[in-house]
């Protein structure tokens, strides 16, 4: 049954001139059928460069919006409209504008995990990998950083600039279980602990490295260590195991994103049949949000 479902998805994908993109936090069966697996920005850039006219984005809503921002002429589909991101949803335009009024000299650097209309109000977007570079290149010594407080704190400790950090958090990473991580470290004393900067500071203090998902992939490739405890969403363990079958990986912190798991093979099949639900923005918002995303890509190359 599952094989038939996959065959039909792959057939329709060709028929509809579609490309399937999957975030590294997606379930294994979805990573397996995807044309590309990666982080949100990497996938959006891939979407922009693909020849396909339809993009099926297996991730959460802000990611599909970013793909649309970068590829307005393509049809961007999110197989489950209800796949939101509590971190992105914790910031809205009026509240950000109020903070900007309080700090008129500050420039707003916005994590890509944010809604498009808020991106449109920012100086530049950033990812966890390039946040410090974007902050340092912003022509102001004062930065409003939103919406993730843990990433903002992590970057502020590496910068001499003055930070005003939004008090938002990823509900999955912010409650990472420290005791679980310690137990894994006891079980695998030879392993490296890699954690995401959306986890709280007490977890970074235990880690060998604090990295975004792309950084984790590079780090493992360059390390001579054989075992790794992965302090980010559990889908990343599958991703790393696929890329590095000669290494061993385990989860650390019980980090699980329910929204990422709302995409299923059945929903992908439905989306390909109907070419919906489509993610679109009003052109003015898209254009302004594009400027913030483009500034980031100009800064980081
Ligand atoms: Fe949002 Fe956190 Fe899920 Fe990422 S892991 S999509 S930041 S809720």
């Amino acid at each position: 049954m599952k094989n038939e479902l996959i065959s039909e998805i792959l057939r329709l994908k060709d028929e509809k001139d579609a490309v399937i993109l999957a975030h590294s936090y997606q379930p294994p069966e979805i990573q397996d059928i995807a044309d590309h697996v990666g982080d949100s920005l990497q996938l959006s850039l891939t979407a922009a460069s693909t020849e396909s006219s339809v993009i099926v984005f297996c991730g959460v809503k802000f990611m599909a919006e970013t793909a649309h921002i970068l590829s307005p002429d393509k049809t961007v589909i999110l197989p489950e409209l209800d796949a939101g991101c509590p971190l992105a949803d914790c910031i809205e335009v009026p509240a950000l504008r109020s903070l900007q009024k309080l700090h008129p000299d500050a420039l707003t650097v916005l994590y890509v995990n944010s809604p498009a209309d808020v991106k449109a109000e920012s100086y530049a977007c950033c990812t966890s990998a390039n946040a410090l570079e974007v902050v340092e290149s912003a022509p102001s010594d004062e930065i409003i950083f939103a919406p993730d407080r843990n990433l903002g704190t992590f970057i502020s400790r590496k910068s001499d600039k003055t930070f005003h950090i939004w008090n938002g958090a990823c509900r999955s990473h912010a409650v990472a279980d420290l005791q679980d991580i310690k137990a894994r470290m006891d079980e695998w004393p030879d392993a490296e602990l890699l954690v995401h900067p959306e986890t709280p500071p007490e977890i970074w203090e235990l880690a060998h490295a604090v990295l975004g998902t792309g950084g984790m992939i590079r780090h493992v490739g360059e390390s001579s260590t054989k075992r790794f405890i992965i302090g980010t969403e559990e889908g990343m363990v599958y991703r790393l195991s696929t890329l590095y079958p000669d290494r061993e990986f385990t989860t650390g912190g019980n980090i699980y994103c329910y929204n990422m798991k709302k995409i299923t093979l059945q929903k992908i099949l439905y989306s390909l049949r109907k070419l919906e639900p489509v993610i679109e923005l009003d052109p003015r918002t898209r254009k302004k949000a594009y400027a913030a995303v483009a500034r980031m890509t100009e800064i980081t190359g």
Side-chain angles (χ1 to χ4, degrees):
M1 183 64 190
K2 189 175 165 191
N3 286 347
E4 284 167 23
L5 190 60
I6 291 170
S7 301
E8 183 61 1
I9 287 172
L10 298 180
R11 188 191 69 75
L12 276 170
K13 187 184 75 154
D14 287 345
E15 185 184 301
K16 305 280 174 132
D17 186 31
V19 63
I20 299 177
L21 308 181
H23 191 271
S24 304
Y25 296 166
Q26 286 289 297
E29 67 269 23
I30 291 181
Q31 294 193 32
D32 287 347
I33 57 141
D35 296 293
H36 303 280
V37 183
D39 62 40
S40 60
L41 184 70
Q42 188 189 343
L43 291 176
S44 292
L45 293 172
T46 301
S49 63
T50 180
E51 303 266 293
S52 305
S53 57
V54 175
I55 296 160
V56 179
F57 209 117
C58 303
V60 295
K61 193 171 177 194
F62 79 81
M63 298 177 180
E65 283 183 350
T66 307
H68 169 67
I69 288 166
L70 290 170
S71 308
D73 299 331
K74 293 176 180 165
T75 303
V76 178
I77 290 170
L78 179 65
E80 170 52 68
L81 255 192
D82 195 37
C85 167
L87 171 59
D89 293 343
C90 79
I91 184 164
E92 289 180 347
V93 170
L96 177 63
R97 283 187 182 157
S98 300
L99 187 63
Q100 288 169 331
K101 268 192 195 143
L102 280 177
H103 306 289
D105 295 332
L107 288 175
T108 302
V109 174
L110 201 75
Y111 191 25
V112 286
N113 300 31
S114 53
D117 59 344
V118 182
K119 285 186 175 76
E121 302 287 319
S122 71
Y123 166 73
C125 287
C126 72
T127 65
S128 53
N130 64 28
L132 182 62
E133 197 180 351
V134 173
V135 160
E136 293 301 294
S137 70
S140 172
D141 288 334
E142 212 179 330
I143 299 293
I144 292 172
F145 191 95
D148 190 81
R149 66 169 178 263
N150 288 331
L151 178 60
T153 302
F154 183 71
I155 298 303
S156 69
R157 290 184 184 179
K158 294 173 179 283
S159 171
D160 291 331
K161 296 193 177 190
T162 301
F163 275 67
H164 309 287
I165 300 173
W166 193 269
N167 190 18
C170 161
R171 279 190 208 157
S172 309
H173 286 85
V175 296
D177 183 347
L178 186 62
Q179 295 316 317
D180 180 73
I181 288 178
K182 285 183 175 167
R184 301 295 168 127
M185 292 173 84
D186 287 344
E187 282 165 28
W188 282 13
D190 56 322
E192 280 190 38
L193 170 65
L194 310 182
V195 306
H196 197 282
E198 288 172 16
T199 57
E202 62 269 24
I203 290 189
W204 315 334
E205 279 150 24
L206 292 177
H208 293 81
V210 182
L211 299 160
T213 53
M216 287 183 186
I217 290 170
R218 278 189 298 279
H219 181 94
V220 171
E222 289 161 7
S223 171
S224 56
T225 305
K226 292 288 175 213
R227 302 211 284 187
F228 298 85
I229 301 161
I230 302 301
T232 190
E233 213 279 340
E234 60 164 41
M236 193 61 192
V237 167
Y238 182 73
R239 174 75 177 136
L240 286 164
S241 305
T242 307
L243 290 171
Y244 301 107
D246 58 327
R247 315 289 181 93
E248 283 185 80
F249 302 92
T250 187
T251 55
N254 291 321
I255 303 170
Y256 183 87
C257 178
Y258 289 92
N259 282 288
M260 281 284 179
K261 309 310 191 220
K262 287 179 180 172
I263 310 288
T264 62
L265 290 173
Q266 284 84 356
K267 288 176 187 174
I268 294 171
L269 179 64
Y270 177 88
S271 290
L272 279 166
R273 277 191 183 137
K274 303 276 182 187
L275 288 187
E276 61 182 38
V278 173
I279 298 296
E280 266 181 316
L281 299 164
D282 78 81
R284 193 165 164 272
T285 302
R286 191 205 73 78
K287 212 170 157 192
K288 283 182 76 186
Y290 177 81
V293 176
R295 185 166 274 131
M296 166 182 67
T297 53
E298 278 159 23
I299 292 167
T300 59

